[in-house]
Amino acid sequence: MYFGEYFGNPNRDAVHIYGSGDGQRWSVVHTFPAGAVRHIHNVVEDPYRGGVWVLTGDSDEESGLWFTKDRFQTLDRVFGGTQRARAVSLIPLRRGLIVPTDTPQEQNYVQWGNPETGELTPVAPLPNSAFHASERDGILLVSTTAEPSPCNDTAAAHVFVSPNGIEWHRFDSFRRDWSFLRGRHSFIDRAVRHPEIELVPGDNNTSFIFGYGRGIRGADGRLLRWTREQVLDCIREDVEQGLVS
C-alpha cells in the first residue's frame, strides 16, 4: 500500500511517499527533494505494466506522471514538463493510459497516454478540471469539478463516459450548490472542496455505478447511483444523433 503527501507546500519543501505491507507499519519509500514537486496528487497501481504511477503537480515542471516497477527502488518521469501532465487520476489500460487533465490555467482534455513514447494525445475536451477517473466493467468514466479558473466552467460538475477511451459522452451534470452562503454550512468547510462527483470504486459484478456528491445542487453529501444501462443508453443516444461515430 502506498500514499503520497498532499499539502499546500508554499515553500516547496521535500515531499514523501509512504509504503506499508500490513497497513500498520509505514515508512518512506521515496522522497522528492525540496523544489522538485509541490505535492502528490495520486498513487495508482498499473496491473498491465506491473508497477505504480505517481501523479505530481502543479507548475509545468512540477507536473508529471512517474512510474516505478521495482517498488520505488527507481522512479522515472514518463510524462512531464507541461500542464498536460498535470493529473489527479488516470486509468491504466492494456494498450495505454487514459489521462484527464487537472489544470485551472488552460483548456482541459481527456488524453491518450503512450508510456512507450511519452506522448499525450488529446482525444476529447473537458469543460473543467478532472479529479476522478475509473473503469467499471468495460465502461470508462471521468468526472470533473467546478474549480475556480479564468478559462474553465466554474458553475457545474460533470460526468463523462466512454466505451473505448476515444469517444467521450457527457452523461450527467450538476450545478454548484451555493446554499452554504446562507449559513447552512460554514464557509471554510465548504470552500475546502470544489463542487465535484467522486467516482466510487465498486465491484464489477454489480449493475450499478456509484458516485458521491460534494457541493452540488440536490446531491450534496449524497450517494449517487446510475445503472450500467443508463450509461449505455447515453452512449447509444449520442451515436444515433450523429454526435459521434
Side-chain angles (χ1 to χ4, degrees):
M1 293 173 283
Y2 301 104
F3 75 88
E5 291 182 323
Y6 183 94
F7 58 108
N9 201 6
N11 298 322
R12 296 307 192 264
D13 296 329
V15 179
H16 307 294
I17 299 173
Y18 296 84
S20 173
D22 59 11
Q24 299 182 49
R25 295 180 295 272
W26 294 84
S27 60
V28 174
V29 296
H30 183 81
T31 297
F32 287 98
V37 302
R38 183 182 183 187
H39 46 217
I40 296 166
H41 287 160
N42 209 342
V43 180
V44 181
E45 180 186 13
D46 187 335
Y48 302 105
R49 291 159 193 87
V52 171
W53 291 95
V54 176
L55 286 54
T56 63
D58 278 337
S59 70
D60 285 2
E61 271 310 307
E62 294 168 339
S63 297
L65 280 67
W66 309 68
F67 187 72
T68 176
K69 59 182 178 181
D70 51 20
R71 299 189 177 186
F72 289 95
Q73 294 183 48
T74 60
L75 183 65
D76 300 314
R77 193 173 78 169
V78 180
F79 309 91
T82 171
Q83 289 295 287
R84 287 173 55 188
R86 179 175 172 176
V88 173
S89 58
L90 59 78
I91 305 174
L93 299 174
R94 190 176 302 278
R95 60 192 187 281
L97 304 174
I98 299 298
V99 183
T101 58
D102 156 47
T103 174
Q105 301 177 17
E106 57 188 57
Q107 172 73 53
N108 281 285
Y109 292 93
V110 178
Q111 303 175 111
W112 184 261
N114 185 333
E116 302 299 322
T117 64
E119 293 179 303
L120 289 168
T121 304
V123 295
L126 293 172
N128 39 27
S129 298
F131 276 15
H132 305 284
S134 68
E135 178 189 8
R136 291 295 311 281
D137 195 21
I139 297 175
L140 306 172
L141 299 106
V142 168
S143 66
T144 71
T145 181
E147 182 179 20
S149 167
C151 57
N152 290 316
D153 175 18
T154 61
H158 311 274
V159 179
F160 291 82
V161 298
S162 173
N164 53 24
I166 303 299
E167 298 170 339
W168 288 85
H169 314 255
R170 191 190 308 242
F171 171 63
D172 214 339
S173 298
F174 298 84
R175 303 291 293 177
R176 177 191 288 270
D177 181 7
W178 293 104
S179 61
F180 69 92
L181 293 177
R182 297 195 293 272
R184 188 164 65 92
H185 300 275
S186 74
F187 180 81
I188 295 299
D189 288 344
R190 301 305 297 281
V192 168
R193 298 297 294 253
H194 306 305
E196 63 177 325
I197 301 99
E198 179 179 354
L199 298 172
V200 180
D203 189 337
N204 280 339
N205 292 323
T206 180
S207 60
F208 296 110
I209 294 170
F210 294 96
Y212 185 80
R214 292 189 182 92
I216 56 176
R217 191 176 302 171
D220 176 45
R222 296 183 180 182
L223 188 68
L224 306 170
R225 187 182 75 174
W226 304 279
T227 66
R228 189 173 186 274
E229 194 59 32
Q230 284 178 297
V231 175
L232 294 176
D233 283 346
C234 165
I235 295 172
R236 284 192 288 264
E237 183 177 340
D238 280 358
V239 171
E240 290 172 358
Q241 292 179 359
L243 299 179
V244 295
S245 59

